């Protein structure tokens, strides 16, 4: 499971404040804890910085990579100028978050993909919005895979996000996203599926429980990357446990390693 | 999900002691708590009573049904005389736990099935022991379904147990059992699959976590009955949560009901 640590997101108030104040200590602490918890990428979303987005994006990336040399960033913006500013300073191969099939966005982003050859998150949405139909979103995934491979991105560097509606609003919301994941994995071996799965629980109580259980179902259907909070200990424990139960953890080594490092001790600390 | 409450099992020392002492208060408390937690059947295993098994089985069943009139029992024994003694006193339709394809056992049990027409747990094992091959166990499941239907048992009254090896001993143990469940559900619509899933975690630390996560994977493959401890609150929460996420809980009613009754409050009480 490729973990994208989601915490440095400007839609969260403490993050906006830290970005506004250029609070290096706070932001580096957020980055370090997520990195140590097993993130493959640290997502940086600067949307709330508006006109200053490109400048702030570049600043945060240099800040994090200056402190954690091996860290890679998921450059998360709807603003092509912010994406470009991020790619220009990023060392190593970044993850672009994200492209979709909205014509204007797609056309602005393709040249950046051709230039910087990042790994890419591809959202199954177009100018019609997010469809409730599994076939429609699956087909958008296929179109995005074709578009990205035509622009020199390998399947192993494409992360298709099937998107998720809340199960409180739509009884089949979970099944539809799970079905899309399964079809993409079956028909495009090598491609990744990714999900920011907390939307599934919107409108219901005990959202963490829903998210943690949905993660296990998604792993069963082939989800192999996730945009999550890697400090959610039970989420991470569910991931390693399901991976072991699904026969992908030789001699249960990762499970036992997680156990020995305290990662399976889920008693709340007081 | 049809829950079979597993706690009244004579392989547990406190239960053996209570059975030996005919401790009605203790046994009724075990029965009542499991019933209130949502068991459809209360399993009664008297194996350790040896020669007294038939007498003790009948006594426990009458005890429980005398106190909880609507309770149904899973009559759990390898001893045909104990099964018969149980059926003779049981009110309503019992669950027989279990038949398998060991010739001697099978031939002793078929007449009881023909006489009492119980619902039946069918274990995928024969005189060769438990096979490690998915095909072998799947085929035993098919043979058991055919044998039981020939003897007047409907598909809806058959619960096939694919059995499980520990994932610590066999990397593919989980996948094999999940595959058997999925094939049985796909090829015999209406038949139930059942599992006493704690064997999956044998030999590893944090067994509850493994069992709870395996339950979610099994639900994804169509498991619809389980022999578990219904007082394991997270296990029960995972079941209702996964059922909701899989689109089988209209308007999230069962999830919200469980929440309101405190069933999703998983903070350990001190």
């Amino acid at each position: 499971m490729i973990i994208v640590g989601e915490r440095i997101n400007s839609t969260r108030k403490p993050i906006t404040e830290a970005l506004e104040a250029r609070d290096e200590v706070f932001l580096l602490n957020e980055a370090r804890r997520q990195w140590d918890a097993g993130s493959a990428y640290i997502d940086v979303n600067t949307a709330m910085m508006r006109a200053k987005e490109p400048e702030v994006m570049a600043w945060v990336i240099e800040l994090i990579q200056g402190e954690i040399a091996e860290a890679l960033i998921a450059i998360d913006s709807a603003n092509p100028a912010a994406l470009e500013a991020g790619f220009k300073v990023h060392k190593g191969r970044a993850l672009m978050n994200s492209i979709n099939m909205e014509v204007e966005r797609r056309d602005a982003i393709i040249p950046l993909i051709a230039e910087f050859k990042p790994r890419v998150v591809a959202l199954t949405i177009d100018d019609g919005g997010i469809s409730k139909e599994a076939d429609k979103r699956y087909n958008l995934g296929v179109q995005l895979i074709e578009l990205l491979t035509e622009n020199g991105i390998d399947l192993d560097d494409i992360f298709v996000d099937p998107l998720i509606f809340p199960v409180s609003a739509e009884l089949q919301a979970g099944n539809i996203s799970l079905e899309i994941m399964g079809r993409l994995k079956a028909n495009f071996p090598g491609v990744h599926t990714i999900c920011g799965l907390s939307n599934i629980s919107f409108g219901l109580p005990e959202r963490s429980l829903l998210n943690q259980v949905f993660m296990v179902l998604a792993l069963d259907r082939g989800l192999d990357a996730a945009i999550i909070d890697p400090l959610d200990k039970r989420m991470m424990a569910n991931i390693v446990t399901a991976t072991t139960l699904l026969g992908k953890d030789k001699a249960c080594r990762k499970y036992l390693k997680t156990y020995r490092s305290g990662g399976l001790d889920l008693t709340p600390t007081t």
Side-chain angles (χ1 to χ4, degrees), chain A:
Chain A
M1 172 66 58
I2 296 168
I3 306 288
V4 180
E6 71 181 6
R7 294 175 60 90
I8 302 181
N9 189 312
S10 65
T11 62
R12 295 176 59 218
K13 194 152 175 281
I15 298 295
T16 305
E17 290 170 0
L19 291 172
E20 293 280 11
R22 302 290 195 275
D23 186 340
E24 298 190 356
V25 172
F26 182 90
L27 292 166
L28 284 176
N29 184 47
E30 286 287 322
R32 170 60 72 187
R33 290 166 72 207
Q34 293 185 90
W35 188 253
D36 290 346
S39 300
Y41 295 91
I42 294 168
D43 195 271
V44 175
N45 173 305
T46 50
M48 304 304 280
M49 299 298 104
R50 309 198 185 273
K52 288 179 292 179
E53 237 203 299
E55 174 206 335
V56 175
M57 179 63 85
W59 175 77
V60 179
I61 291 171
E62 291 196 296
L63 176 70
I64 295 172
Q65 291 196 319
E67 176 78 10
I68 313 169
E70 68 276 36
L72 298 173
I73 308 298
I75 304 178
D76 182 358
S77 179
N79 178 342
L83 291 170
E84 184 173 13
F87 286 127
K88 279 192 171 154
V89 300
H90 189 276
K91 289 171 194 142
R93 192 144 182 228
L95 179 64
M96 170 190 275
N97 189 3
S98 58
I99 192 172
N100 64 42
M101 288 298 276
E102 291 166 350
V103 172
E104 195 183 334
R105 176 148 173 180
R106 183 195 67 193
D107 290 351
I109 282 177
I110 283 294
L112 295 175
I113 289 172
E115 181 177 353
F116 295 102
K117 294 278 189 288
R119 303 184 94 185
V120 182
V121 175
L123 308 186
T124 52
I125 179 175
D126 65 8
D127 290 302
I130 305 178
S131 170
K132 291 199 169 180
E133 307 292 325
D135 281 349
K136 179 77 195 297
R137 271 153 54 207
Y138 171 78
N139 288 332
L140 284 174
V142 173
Q143 290 171 39
L144 283 158
I145 290 169
E146 288 168 353
L147 176 69
L148 289 167
T149 51
E150 281 163 16
N151 281 277
I153 307 298
D154 293 337
L155 280 183
D156 178 50
D157 296 316
I158 299 172
F159 295 75
V160 184
D161 187 334
L163 301 173
I164 303 183
F165 281 102
V167 74
S168 59
E170 165 63 43
L171 188 62
Q172 297 306 324
N175 282 333
I176 287 171
S177 295
L178 293 169
E179 182 197 326
I180 298 169
M181 287 173 206
R183 284 171 70 183
L184 287 168
K185 292 299 282 187
N187 296 333
F188 296 90
V191 85
H192 298 280
T193 52
I194 194 167
C195 225
L197 42 69
S198 65
N199 208 36
I200 192 75
S201 60
F202 183 81
L204 288 172
E206 301 294 348
R207 293 190 63 181
S208 295
L209 174 66
L210 285 153
N211 300 343
Q212 290 155 357
V213 170
F214 193 69
M215 174 59 87
V216 177
L217 296 172
L219 277 162
D220 197 33
R221 306 297 181 99
L223 187 77
D224 59 8
I227 304 172
I228 57 172
D229 179 358
L231 305 186
D232 177 342
K233 211 169 163 184
R234 184 168 291 273
M235 177 67 85
M236 297 298 274
N238 275 9
I239 291 170
V240 69
T241 303
T243 303
T244 298
L245 290 168
L246 289 168
K248 294 173 186 164
D249 180 20
K250 210 171 166 188
C252 304
R253 275 185 208 126
K254 190 138 196 267
Y255 183 84
L256 291 167
K257 192 181 163 200
T258 308
Y259 170 70
R260 284 191 297 265
S261 68
L264 305 182
D265 177 7
L266 300 166
T267 324
T269 49
T270 47

